Amino acid sequence: MKIVFPWPNSILLPNKAKRANRFVLARYTASARREGHYETRSQLGMHHGLTAPVSIQYEFTPPKRRGNAPDDDGMVGMMKAYRDGIAD
């Protein structure tokens, strides 16, 4: 199964999150978590949680308008809210 999420907001980068306003960070984190949850449910076509383990593999494709994408550690960190939504 493949789930495509939009490019995460840069405020979700772990190094930027340390300096961000906590209320702004909370809004973007909650939004990404909700999106992860609803996209996973819509792809699985289910209304109840899974009980089997799930393996996650990332493929990052930055938008063309961006200069340099964050490194791989930063990208995985940006996906934490989406991953939490998938687990929900």
Side-chain angles (χ1 to χ4, degrees), residues 19-73:
R19 298 183 300 269
N21 179 298
R22 65 182 176 166
F23 298 110
V24 174
L25 177 62
R27 185 176 67 229
Y28 282 106
T29 301
S31 174
R33 188 171 184 155
R34 257 191 322 272
E35 189 165 354
H37 176 74
Y38 289 121
E39 277 298 315
T40 303
R41 279 180 73 170
S42 70
Q43 287 288 329
L44 292 175
M46 61 177 215
H47 299 289
H48 300 289
L50 277 177
T51 56
V54 176
S55 174
I56 297 176
Q57 182 178 5
Y58 299 113
E59 179 181 324
F60 299 107
T61 308
K64 297 205 186 265
R65 61 176 162 62
R66 293 191 55 102
N68 294 331
D71 62 355
D72 58 345
D73 289 337

